[in-house]
Amino acid sequence: MLIYDLTHEELVDFLLSNNHKKYRANQIWQYLYKQKVQSFKEMLNIPNDLVELLDKNFKVQALELVLKHVSQDGTLKCLYSLHDGHLIETVLMKHHYGNSVCVTTQVGCNIGCSFCASGQLKKKRDLTAGEILAQIIQTEILLGERISYVVVMGIGEPFDNYDELMHFLKTVNDPKGLEIGARHITVSTSGIVPKIKEYAHMGLQVNLAISLHAPNNKIRTQLMKINQRYPVEEVIGAIKYYLGVTNRRVTIEYILIDGLNDTEEVALELVKVLRGLNVYVNLIPYNEVLEAPYQRSKPENMNHFYDTLMKHNIQATLRKEQGHDINAACGQLRSQHI
C-alpha cells in the first residue's frame, strides 16, 4: 500500500494502534509532502523502529518515469509506469501565473468519447488516491519547481472513481499535505448526473467543469456515448442543482469541431440552453486524433462562435492550446509508449 493512500487521520490511527505518538504523523507528512522524500530512511528524526514499521507496511515510490516529452511551449508530458506495469500520462503546463498539472484518475476510460484519444483505451482499473497524488509529487521533483494549480482532466472519468477522487482532493488541499488551494483545483466530468449532485453537497471550494460539447442530444450522442445515459436535459438539470446548492460558477467545456458543433445555429442553441445560468464556456480548439473522423474548427468559425456567445451575454473564453506538438493537449492523452 502507498503511504500517500492514507489520510492524515488514518496515519494517526495507524501510529496509535502500533504504540507510536500521534505527533509523528505531522513529522511524516512534513517529509512526504513538503520535503518530498522518496524513502522512509530519509526521515532522519523518526525512530528506527518506526522507520522499519513504515517500510514494512507501506511504499513511497508509486511511479516510475518511462518517458518524457517537452513541447516548444514548455509543456511537459510524462509517461509513468505504475507498480503493476500499467502506464499513465501526466501533463505539466507552464503559465505566467504558475505551474499547472493535469492528472490522470484511471488506467483507461469507460466513457469512450468518439473525439478523444483517451476514449480509445478500455478501462483497466481505477487509480488510488495515492497514485493520483504521486503524479503531482513526482512531477514537482522532476521539474524542481512547485505546482500550484491542478486540473483533474487526464485519462479517465474522475466521477467514475469518486471515492478515491474525494480522498485525493482532501490531501492535495490539506495545509499539512500539498497545500494547493481549493480554488486552484478543477475537476472535470463528462456529466455523470448523480455524482454531480452528490458533489454539490461536499462543501468543497474546488472548481467544477462539465464536458458538454453540444447543446442537443443528436450531436452530443454522436460525440459522447454517455449522453445516451445522461442526456443534455439531465446534465443541465444537474448543473442547475449544483448551482442552487453551491452558488459557485461552473465551467462548460466545449470542443469546437469543424462543421459539426461550430456553426452559428448551434451557438444560438447553446445560448438558449445556458441562458440565465452562472456558467462560462471554455471553447477548446479540437485536437485531431488518428482514430476519429473529425477536424478542427476553422479559426474564423471559432472566433464567430465565441462572438455569438458573448453577444448574447454568455461569458466565454477561447482556450490557448498547449502541448499540441507532443500530443499533450486536451483529448490527446493515450498512455502511448513510443
Side-chain angles (χ1 to χ4, degrees):
M1 181 180 185
L2 283 174
I3 187 70
Y4 305 120
D5 282 325
L6 295 183
T7 63
H8 191 271
E9 292 82 2
E10 288 169 339
L11 179 57
V12 168
D13 290 343
F14 173 80
L15 293 172
L16 293 177
S17 66
N18 285 276
N19 301 312
H20 286 279
K21 300 295 185 181
K22 179 179 178 179
Y23 75 89
R24 294 293 185 191
N26 287 342
Q27 292 179 319
I28 292 167
W29 266 42
Q30 174 73 24
Y31 278 116
L32 291 172
Y33 293 108
K34 308 302 183 186
Q35 299 184 35
K36 299 179 177 62
V37 302
Q38 294 296 286
S39 166
F40 294 118
K41 292 181 174 60
E42 295 178 63
M43 299 181 177
L44 300 180
N45 62 343
I46 302 296
N48 288 337
D49 61 333
L50 178 51
V51 169
E52 291 174 4
L53 180 69
L54 293 172
D55 217 19
K56 181 180 178 181
N57 286 275
F58 305 106
K59 295 180 179 179
V60 180
Q61 293 185 322
L63 309 172
E64 179 182 349
L65 180 66
V66 177
L67 208 60
K68 68 175 182 178
H69 291 288
V70 181
S71 170
Q72 293 178 356
D73 60 27
T75 299
L76 173 67
K77 182 172 75 168
C78 298
L79 181 69
Y80 288 119
S81 176
L82 302 169
H83 70 89
D84 55 7
H86 286 306
L87 299 175
I88 60 171
E89 287 184 334
T90 305
V91 176
L92 182 284
M93 295 158 286
K94 286 180 167 287
H95 306 284
H96 69 276
Y97 52 79
N99 295 317
S100 173
V101 69
C102 177
V103 297
T104 284
T105 56
Q106 296 177 310
V107 178
C109 182
N110 271 343
I111 304 303
C113 298
S114 63
F115 58 84
C116 179
S118 302
Q120 310 299 321
L121 306 171
K122 290 185 178 181
K123 178 185 166 183
K124 302 293 178 61
R125 70 171 177 88
D126 293 325
L127 297 192
T128 68
E131 288 172 325
I132 305 171
L133 284 162
Q135 293 172 63
I136 301 174
I137 293 167
Q138 291 297 323
T139 306
E140 276 196 336
I141 292 171
L142 185 64
L143 186 68
E145 299 177 17
R146 174 169 166 75
I147 290 167
S148 49
Y149 293 82
V150 176
V151 291
V152 189
M153 298 183 184
I155 298 168
E157 162 56 64
F159 280 0
D160 191 33
N161 188 13
Y162 190 81
D163 291 342
E164 295 298 319
L165 171 69
M166 292 301 112
H167 182 156
F168 160 77
L169 292 175
K170 184 175 182 179
T171 302
V172 80
N173 180 233
D174 194 315
K176 296 185 293 294
L178 285 176
E179 200 177 3
I180 296 176
R183 297 189 181 192
H184 289 186
I185 306 168
T186 301
V187 174
S188 175
T189 176
S190 60
I192 300 180
V193 167
K195 291 302 180 184
I196 294 172
K197 293 181 177 180
E198 183 177 350
Y199 184 74
H201 293 279
M202 294 302 295
L204 302 174
Q205 297 293 305
V206 174
N207 302 310
L208 177 65
I210 309 286
S211 293
L212 191 63
H213 305 314
N216 62 59
N217 290 318
K218 181 180 179 181
I219 299 175
R220 193 167 191 263
T221 298
Q222 179 179 337
L223 294 173
M224 307 174 71
K225 65 181 182 181
I226 195 173
N227 196 69
Q228 296 171 340
R229 178 66 182 87
Y230 302 114
V232 171
E233 314 84 68
E234 291 190 24
V235 175
I236 297 299
I239 293 170
K240 290 178 180 178
Y241 182 90
Y242 176 87
L243 292 171
V245 172
T246 68
N247 198 31
R248 288 184 54 75
R249 186 171 68 167
V250 172
T251 299
I252 302 297
E253 295 177 314
Y254 196 101
I255 287 178
L256 289 163
I257 297 174
D258 186 47
L260 180 64
N261 68 348
D262 67 341
T263 65
E264 182 177 19
E265 179 184 3
V266 174
L268 291 172
E269 193 174 356
L270 184 62
V271 167
K272 186 176 179 181
V273 167
L274 299 179
R275 182 175 283 130
L277 300 182
N278 184 19
V279 301
Y280 86 92
V281 182
N282 187 11
L283 298 172
I284 306 166
Y286 176 59
N287 297 302
E288 294 172 19
V289 174
L290 183 63
E291 297 88 347
Y294 309 119
Q295 293 182 320
R296 172 176 292 200
S297 181
K298 297 177 179 63
E300 58 270 25
N301 291 344
M302 289 193 281
N303 289 327
H304 186 65
F305 199 98
Y306 168 82
D307 290 340
T308 301
L309 296 183
M310 295 293 287
K311 179 182 176 181
H312 289 84
N313 297 316
I314 303 295
Q315 295 300 306
T317 57
L318 187 55
R319 180 187 289 182
K320 175 187 175 184
E321 63 177 346
Q322 289 183 258
H324 184 269
D325 58 320
I326 57 169
N327 293 326
C330 183
Q332 291 187 308
L333 302 187
R334 61 166 81 235
S335 299
Q336 198 167 40
H337 191 176
I338 301 174

